[in-house]
Amino acid sequence: MNYKFRLISLLIIDSIIVLISIFLAHVFLNPFNPTVDLMLVLSSIILLISHHILCFYFHLYQRIWKYANIDELISLCKVVILSILITAASQLIFFNDLYERGLFLTLILHLVFLCGIRLFWRYIQLRRDNVIRESSLKRKATLILGAGVSGRSISVELQKTDSVLNPVVFLDDNPKLKNLEINGIPVVGNLKDLEAVVEHYNIKHIIIAMPSLRGEQLQQIIQRSKRVCKDVQLLPKYREFATGELSYSKFRDVSIEDLLGREPIKLNNEIISAQVKDSIILVTGAGGSIGSELCRQLIKYNPKELVLIDHSEFNIFQIRNELERIKCSTVIKTEILNIENRRRVFMVVEKHKPKMVFHAAAYKHVPLMEGNVYSAVATNIFGTNNMVDASHNAEVEKFVLISTDKAVNPESVMGVTKRIAELIVNGKNINSKTKYAFVRFGNVLGSSGSVIPIFKQQIQNGGPITITHPDMTRYFMTIPEATQLVIQATSYSDGGETFVLDMGEPVKITDLAKKLIHLSGFTEEEIPIVNTGIRPGEKIHEELFYKSEQHYKQIHSKIFVFNNNQYLQNVDYLQENYLSLNESELQDLLKKLINEETQYTPERLIQI
């Protein structure tokens, strides 16, 4: 139906409704003598004209009534009430009289007919669309867990979109909702009835619509759902419901992060904002997993400039494009830079003069670094030293190194180099105005080279999943969680601190693999787990603290802090001589440097 034809049709229908309303009201009030006088005729004309003018003013003839909501009904009420008031005013002006009962009854009839015809049209259109959709789509019977605000929003969203999901039942633990219907969908029981309901209604898809559910409770619901139904999805974050941003396209599949049971983080945003807002912030390794997420979190606090440093052109291109799509006043600047280049590092830091530096650039893959000792030393040690010195030279206010649990009692080249990086940061804090600190934490889920992407690829290839040792454990947290806590820890820094993030309990890699197999809809018979043996540099269990670091205090629910006097103040000797050593000699020297019982001065380093 084109616009012109539609407009003419609405004008004719509304005209009939207006005239019927006013004449029917007159007949109801004068059933035995319904005479037509001048007041009635003139009132009808004025009501008709004012109605059409007001409909154009409120754009009611441009509305698509199939998608009508409460706003359209409010606009209709305004049109009806204002047109009646205009008609009443004309009666007083032309006849010095007011037909109150007739106008009131006309208002009621006018409103009922006008809203009724539009709602009836909406009903017919939606019924027709449903018939077409049902005939063209093989819709999957869907169970919604949670009949609160979120569940109701989801049911409406699925009913009005061309989704293949057909919501047929709710489950909710609120006993007051049982046996009631919400948007035509029955609430048939509580969460204890999950398995029976899935079987009885032949459920093919489950949506968990309980945004406040976290931790162990969420894990249990997910695991029960996955046992009886292959396709399980979670709704978006709770704030998206609060801001009206919910749409079916934002539903997401259950991920391994949901099964970790990590509680949401509560940040002190005021402290963070006070330091980040309108400041120049520099992030090294900005194209990597941690660095890029740091940028995503920092930009929320509206820094004046965000300077991204990485040696990978492609990674910088990706994160810059992503950040530039965010509507904010922050200026994004990029530098393609290898932090091993000391002179260029000094030039770049001096050029931008940042207030804060987040140093995330490093080589982190343990087995790879075992065979690339010189590269690990050059980037993780000398690159860090370059950034530390350049920050001192440019009078940066705060410098934060992103460290790792593998720096504690390290057995790998990567761990040793990161421990030396920690000692360099400690040492520089002694005689600099810049406040140096580092944040230590374990593995992050989904980072490049981590176990989850590897396991997923192995599952896609039909298995098996390879694990180096059946008893191997690791500390895990999500990338957003880690970066948020890094930023929070930085806000507390006054120089010289070691911040350690609360990683919760260590997780067995075998258990992680099993959960991922089940999440992917397979069994351990279909995707077997094979033990391949520990690789060079790997430990069965990681640690977060040295013995001498046990006297820490908790400054946040998930952040511990202590001051460590150990340092390695000068790496010039190592930098001048490391290429003259073979790999074995170099590794021996590195391990001597991290003896935690010794504070290393430049003289002590030369003697070694």
Side-chain angles (χ1 to χ4, degrees):
M1 186 185 298
N2 61 41
Y3 173 73
K4 185 176 181 180
F5 179 76
R6 182 178 180 277
L7 177 62
I8 293 172
S9 300
L10 285 173
L11 287 171
I12 293 172
I13 292 171
D14 279 12
S15 298
I16 293 172
I17 288 174
V18 170
L19 296 176
I20 287 178
S21 298
I22 192 167
F23 280 101
L24 196 58
H26 179 68
V27 170
F28 283 162
L29 294 174
N30 302 279
F32 303 110
N33 186 26
T35 57
V36 177
D37 55 15
L38 183 60
M39 176 184 279
L40 180 61
V41 173
L42 186 61
S43 297
S44 300
I45 294 171
I46 292 173
L47 181 63
L48 185 63
I49 293 172
S50 60
H51 170 87
H52 288 313
I53 291 173
L54 288 167
C55 280
F56 278 110
Y57 178 78
F58 287 106
H59 305 287
L60 288 179
Y61 292 143
Q62 283 79 42
R63 307 284 179 94
I64 299 176
W65 288 98
K66 183 170 71 172
Y67 306 115
N69 55 30
I70 192 67
D71 292 333
E72 278 76 11
L73 293 178
I74 291 173
S75 297
L76 278 176
C77 292
K78 291 178 181 178
V79 167
V80 172
I81 293 171
L82 290 174
S83 60
I84 291 293
L85 291 175
I86 292 171
T87 304
S90 67
Q91 288 183 354
L92 289 173
I93 292 170
F94 293 112
F95 301 101
N96 198 28
D97 194 9
L98 188 63
Y99 192 16
E100 298 98 333
R101 291 190 304 158
L103 290 174
F104 179 74
L105 187 55
T106 299
L107 184 148
I108 300 299
L109 294 172
H110 190 180
L111 191 60
V112 170
F113 290 153
L114 205 61
C115 294
I117 194 69
R118 281 162 167 78
L119 291 175
F120 178 73
W121 176 255
R122 181 178 186 271
Y123 173 77
I124 293 297
Q125 290 292 310
L126 290 176
R127 285 287 296 175
R128 188 196 67 175
D129 290 350
N130 284 335
V131 170
I132 294 173
R133 187 162 62 243
E134 292 287 354
S135 61
S136 61
L137 295 173
K138 188 177 180 180
R139 305 186 75 195
K140 295 196 292 185
T142 301
L143 164 64
I144 300 177
L145 301 183
V149 174
S150 304
R152 297 170 194 176
S153 300
I154 289 171
S155 66
V156 171
E157 179 76 14
L158 293 176
Q159 287 172 331
K160 75 178 184 181
T161 59
D162 292 332
S163 168
V164 297
L165 304 182
N166 179 31
V168 293
V169 284
F170 282 107
L171 286 181
D172 196 286
D173 282 337
N174 185 348
K176 295 180 181 178
L177 296 177
K178 189 173 181 179
N179 299 324
L180 297 180
E181 286 192 359
I182 298 172
N183 301 322
I185 304 170
V187 182
V188 297
N190 56 39
L191 298 181
K192 293 180 180 178
D193 304 318
L194 175 62
E195 290 79 5
V197 167
V198 169
E199 182 179 359
H200 179 76
Y201 289 91
N202 195 24
I203 297 298
K204 301 298 182 184
H205 197 99
I206 296 175
I207 295 175
I208 302 174
M210 295 174 284
S212 60
L213 206 61
R214 291 290 187 273
E216 189 174 342
Q217 283 184 309
L218 179 60
Q219 289 186 63
Q220 291 175 355
I221 292 297
I222 291 173
Q223 290 170 349
R224 287 180 60 198
S225 300
K226 292 296 290 187
R227 279 197 294 268
V228 294
C229 183
K230 180 178 179 181
D231 296 326
V232 179
Q233 285 186 306
L234 291 172
L235 46 77
K237 296 177 182 178
Y238 185 83
R239 61 176 176 79
E240 294 182 350
F241 288 93
T243 56
E245 299 174 8
L246 170 66
S247 69
Y248 171 69
S249 62
K250 291 185 179 180
F251 293 176
R252 61 181 177 84
D253 293 333
V254 174
S255 66
I256 196 71
E257 288 91 336
D258 300 310
L259 294 179
L260 276 183
R262 302 287 294 178
E263 295 294 330
I265 298 171
K266 295 179 181 179
L267 300 178
N268 191 328
N269 289 305
E270 291 183 6
I271 295 178
I272 297 173
S273 182
Q275 299 196 33
V276 175
K277 187 176 181 181
D278 298 325
S279 300
I280 300 174
I281 311 296
L282 186 148
V283 180
T284 71
S289 305
I290 295 295
S292 60
E293 186 62 29
L294 269 172
C295 295
R296 295 184 192 101
Q297 299 293 339
L298 286 165
I299 203 169
K300 296 176 182 179
Y301 297 97
N302 296 310
K304 179 182 177 181
E305 291 180 13
L306 196 53
V307 184
L308 316 181
I309 291 180
D310 202 290
H311 72 283
S312 169
E313 178 186 32
F314 177 69
N315 288 348
I316 281 289
F317 172 79
Q318 282 193 311
I319 187 61
R320 183 187 67 184
N321 279 3
E322 179 184 335
L323 296 176
E324 285 180 343
R325 289 195 296 268
I326 299 172
K327 294 180 180 179
C328 65
S329 59
T330 302
V331 178
I332 307 298
K333 295 187 176 181
T334 57
E335 297 281 356
I336 308 298
L337 170 67
N338 188 331
I339 59 171
E340 296 172 23
N341 189 328
R342 185 174 177 86
R343 186 174 178 183
R344 279 276 291 131
V345 167
F346 271 71
M347 289 172 61
V348 167
V349 177
E350 182 63 31
K351 170 185 172 183
H352 295 286
K353 290 192 174 296
K355 177 183 177 181
M356 301 170 68
V357 171
F358 289 88
H359 181 45
Y363 286 128
K364 304 181 179 73
H365 197 279
V366 171
L368 277 179
M369 291 307 100
E370 290 301 305
N372 292 273
V373 184
Y374 300 103
S375 296
V377 170
T379 295
N380 295 359
I381 297 178
F382 304 147
T384 298
N385 189 58
N386 292 340
M387 288 302 307
V388 164
D389 288 344
S391 298
H392 166 76
N393 186 67
E395 296 184 346
V396 171
E397 185 176 311
K398 286 188 177 183
F399 179 100
V400 178
L401 166 71
I402 308 301
S403 191
T404 171
D405 58 355
K406 294 170 180 61
V408 179
N409 296 316
E411 294 183 6
S412 65
V413 169
M414 191 279 276
V416 170
T417 57
K418 290 298 286 184
R419 176 54 180 167
I420 293 175
E422 291 182 351
L423 295 172
I424 290 171
V425 170
N426 272 345
K428 197 64 179 182
N429 190 72
I430 296 172
N431 55 8
S432 176
K433 292 181 180 179
T434 301
K435 299 173 181 177
Y436 292 91
F438 60 87
V439 182
R440 187 191 292 161
F441 54 91
N443 294 35
V444 288
L445 290 170
S447 63
S448 57
S450 65
V451 294
I452 299 303
I454 294 172
F455 287 171
K456 285 182 177 179
Q457 186 61 53
Q458 291 176 334
I459 291 172
Q460 288 176 6
N461 294 337
I465 284 183
T466 56
I467 294 176
T468 56
H469 193 282
D471 296 326
M472 183 170 285
T473 63
R474 289 293 182 267
Y475 290 99
F476 282 103
M477 61 177 16
T478 65
I479 297 176
E481 181 183 8
T483 52
Q484 288 170 22
L485 289 174
V486 166
I487 296 170
Q488 182 71 83
T490 305
S491 70
Y492 295 135
S493 177
D494 197 36
E497 301 94 350
T498 298
F499 296 100
V500 179
L501 304 187
D502 179 6
M503 304 290 294
E505 293 300 317
V507 178
K508 286 187 72 171
I509 304 298
T510 303
D511 293 342
L512 207 61
K514 290 178 180 178
K515 288 179 179 180
L516 196 56
I517 290 170
H518 298 155
L519 277 178
S520 303
F522 297 100
T523 65
E524 291 164 48
E525 288 73 27
E526 295 171 312
I527 306 291
I529 298 173
V530 176
N531 297 315
T532 59
I534 296 178
R535 296 173 295 181
E538 286 188 327
K539 297 165 64 176
I540 294 181
H541 306 294
E542 297 288 1
E543 305 162 84
L544 291 171
F545 300 94
Y546 281 92
K547 290 181 180 179
S548 61
E549 297 174 343
Q550 298 300 318
H551 301 290
Y552 53 78
K553 63 179 179 179
Q554 192 167 8
I555 56 171
H556 180 275
S557 60
K558 295 193 175 184
I559 302 174
F560 305 104
V561 64
F562 56 88
N563 288 82
N564 194 327
N565 294 324
Q566 290 185 302
Y567 63 91
L568 191 156
Q569 193 177 34
N570 193 319
V571 295
D572 291 344
Y573 175 80
L574 180 63
Q575 190 162 2
E576 291 170 4
N577 294 278
Y578 84 109
L579 290 176
S580 64
L581 305 174
N582 61 38
E583 287 191 359
S584 178
E585 291 171 338
L586 180 55
Q587 291 189 45
D588 289 341
L589 174 59
L590 295 175
K591 289 177 181 178
K592 288 179 182 178
L593 294 178
I594 61 167
N595 184 343
E596 69 164 326
E597 302 301 327
T598 308
Q599 293 183 354
Y600 295 109
T601 64
E603 293 76 15
R604 173 61 178 161
L605 175 61
I606 292 171
Q607 290 173 11
I608 290 176

